[in-house]
Amino acid sequence: VSVLGIGHGNKLLTDLYNCHLTKVYTVGGLFGKATDDFSDTGKLVEKTTFDHITREKLERILAVIQGTNHKALLLHSNIDMKTQEAYELAVKGLIRPMGKSPPIITAIRCLQFTLPEFQLEIHCLHETQQYLRKIVHEIGLELKSSAACTQVRRIRDGVFTLDDALPRTQWNLQSIQNAIGDCQLRVKTEIEKTIGHQDLLHKMDAEMANAADS
């Protein structure tokens, strides 16, 4: 999923970027090899055994990664989880950094596992493709092996999913106009929701500052 803007849509792309919405990827991996750029097409630097790896061991590593990233998410969101406001944000799925932060994984799970290959679904914020490839590499190390990334495919970008994507055969004026019309309400709703989220964060910051002063 690659989101493009036309005319006024370019400003909306900036507004959506400032919403810090989650992107979702399917990421493929191959156990048994390490490369200089963490991809399966990079220069081979190591070969390792992988027969000892099981899906259960992989999923335990994924659980650790998710737990560590959840702590990072709370840290960079500057939210006191003991407050009612924080609970309401969590229920609405609105806990996310409202500024720059390191890449953060909000969810990760194994979709397929057939040694030596595996496929993950990764929900993340502020990521890069290099970061996602490195995650695969680090998973290999944690499992006392090695792994290279074979595929990175974005299947969701904020409010946009594969269902919204236009195949090459529909790259024409009418299809593009229809696509713009179909997504307008979702984009407007998400931006307004985030503005409300930011207002609530400002309110929480002010209350915490007042409490500190008193």
Side-chain angles (χ1 to χ4, degrees):
V1 176
S2 183
V3 184
L4 304 175
I6 298 176
H8 176 63
N10 287 300
K11 179 184 181 302
L12 292 179
L13 282 184
T14 301
D15 293 340
L16 283 174
Y17 175 81
N18 291 331
C19 289
H20 304 279
L21 302 177
T22 299
K23 296 183 178 69
V24 183
Y25 295 82
T26 54
V27 179
L30 180 71
F31 287 120
K33 63 184 290 189
T35 68
D36 61 344
D37 65 356
F38 311 133
S39 76
D40 64 330
T41 58
K43 181 181 177 182
L44 182 67
V45 296
E46 183 182 26
K47 277 193 171 185
T48 54
T49 59
F50 52 82
D51 293 342
H52 61 284
I53 300 174
T54 64
R55 182 167 187 149
E56 289 72 23
K57 290 179 179 178
L58 171 59
E59 289 180 340
R60 281 200 293 271
I61 295 299
L62 300 184
V64 171
I65 292 173
Q66 183 162 317
T68 301
N69 277 264
H70 182 67
K71 292 178 182 178
L73 176 63
L74 297 179
L75 174 65
H76 289 284
S77 298
N78 296 321
I79 290 177
D80 181 0
M81 289 306 296
K82 296 179 181 179
T83 64
Q84 177 64 26
E85 290 88 352
Y87 173 78
E88 292 173 359
L89 290 175
V91 169
K92 296 175 182 177
L94 285 173
I95 292 182
R96 55 181 182 257
M98 281 295 110
K100 289 185 177 180
S101 78
I104 296 176
I105 292 174
T106 58
I108 183 170
R109 67 187 181 110
C110 179
L111 296 177
Q112 296 178 14
F113 181 86
T114 309
L115 282 177
E117 298 180 1
F118 62 100
Q119 186 181 62
L120 308 175
E121 181 180 277
I122 302 178
H123 300 232
C124 45
L125 298 160
H126 305 164
E127 77 297 331
T128 63
Q129 290 222 4
Q130 180 70 0
Y131 170 77
L132 295 172
R133 290 196 295 265
K134 189 177 181 183
I135 287 293
V136 171
H137 170 76
E138 292 176 348
I139 287 172
L141 295 180
E142 289 293 331
L143 291 167
K144 296 178 171 55
S145 181
S146 57
C149 182
T150 58
Q151 180 198 55
V152 175
R153 185 187 187 212
R154 187 187 301 138
I155 60 173
R156 185 182 188 98
D157 186 337
V159 299
F160 301 99
T161 70
L162 287 174
D163 291 336
D164 300 305
L166 292 178
R168 188 178 293 272
T169 55
Q170 295 182 23
W171 289 4
N172 56 69
L173 180 59
Q174 187 59 56
S175 296
I176 292 172
Q177 286 179 327
N178 292 341
I180 291 173
D182 290 342
C183 74
Q184 279 182 328
L185 180 59
R186 276 179 291 156
V187 171
K188 180 175 180 289
T189 300
E190 186 58 54
I191 291 174
E192 289 177 348
K193 184 168 65 174
T194 299
I195 291 173
H197 164 62
Q198 291 172 327
D199 290 344
L200 181 54
L201 282 180
H202 292 322
K203 176 186 175 185
M204 292 167 64
D205 288 341
E207 290 175 349
M208 292 173 67
N210 291 336
D213 291 341
S214 61

